[in-house]
Amino acid sequence: MAAGDVAAVHALTGDAQEDRVHVLTGPEALSYADVADRISAVFARQVDYADVPPERARETMLADGLPAWQADGMIELFEWIRNGGCDTVTDEARQATGQDARPVEDRLSEWRGAFLGPGDLTPPRF
């Protein structure tokens, strides 16, 4: 864990934070297609988002061995996000830690080596 992350955890869990709920977000609300665009830019490879119908996604998850309850939960989560569940942007990160929330490109750049390293890079079949 990076030193800055340790400081952020302390800022969010210290005594002064008792009984507080923080809604931590990035600096902007992103759609799945927006995230695919950011990944494309950081990795210099075209990444597209395919909006798979929920029924097909569920069938694929079940065929891959996911339990029905978990597949249904994933579908519910993705539908919530698709319908605006993650559209809120707050400044809670700055209020709690004194630092601005970082854009997704920053994290992707940090993780770039891990994603481009050896191993199976086969994408999921959704």
Side-chain angles (χ1 to χ4, degrees), residues 27-121:
E28 60 184 325
L30 301 173
S31 69
Y32 292 130
D34 292 334
V35 173
D37 289 344
R38 301 311 199 294
I39 293 169
S40 295
V42 170
F43 289 88
R45 297 179 183 182
Q46 183 61 40
V47 174
D48 296 312
Y49 166 69
D51 190 8
V52 176
E55 303 78 28
R56 182 167 156 226
R58 184 178 193 278
E59 289 171 6
T60 301
M61 285 186 258
L62 293 175
D64 286 345
L66 209 63
W69 66 267
Q70 195 169 12
D72 292 341
M74 294 293 288
I75 297 299
E76 184 178 339
L77 174 62
F78 291 138
E79 286 296 312
W80 177 77
I81 293 168
R82 182 179 286 119
N83 292 317
C86 288
D87 286 354
T88 300
V89 175
T90 72
D91 67 345
E92 293 264 347
R94 172 163 264 315
Q95 290 177 22
T97 68
Q99 299 175 13
D100 289 328
R102 295 172 48 200
V104 70
E105 294 90 340
D106 286 4
R107 290 290 186 190
L108 290 170
S109 293
E110 288 174 7
W111 299 334
R112 192 172 191 275
F115 282 107
L116 296 177
D120 181 15
L121 298 178

Side-chain angles (χ1 to χ4, degrees), residues 6 17 19 37 59 103:
V6 172
Q17 302 305 313
D19 297 324
D37 289 344
E59 289 171 6

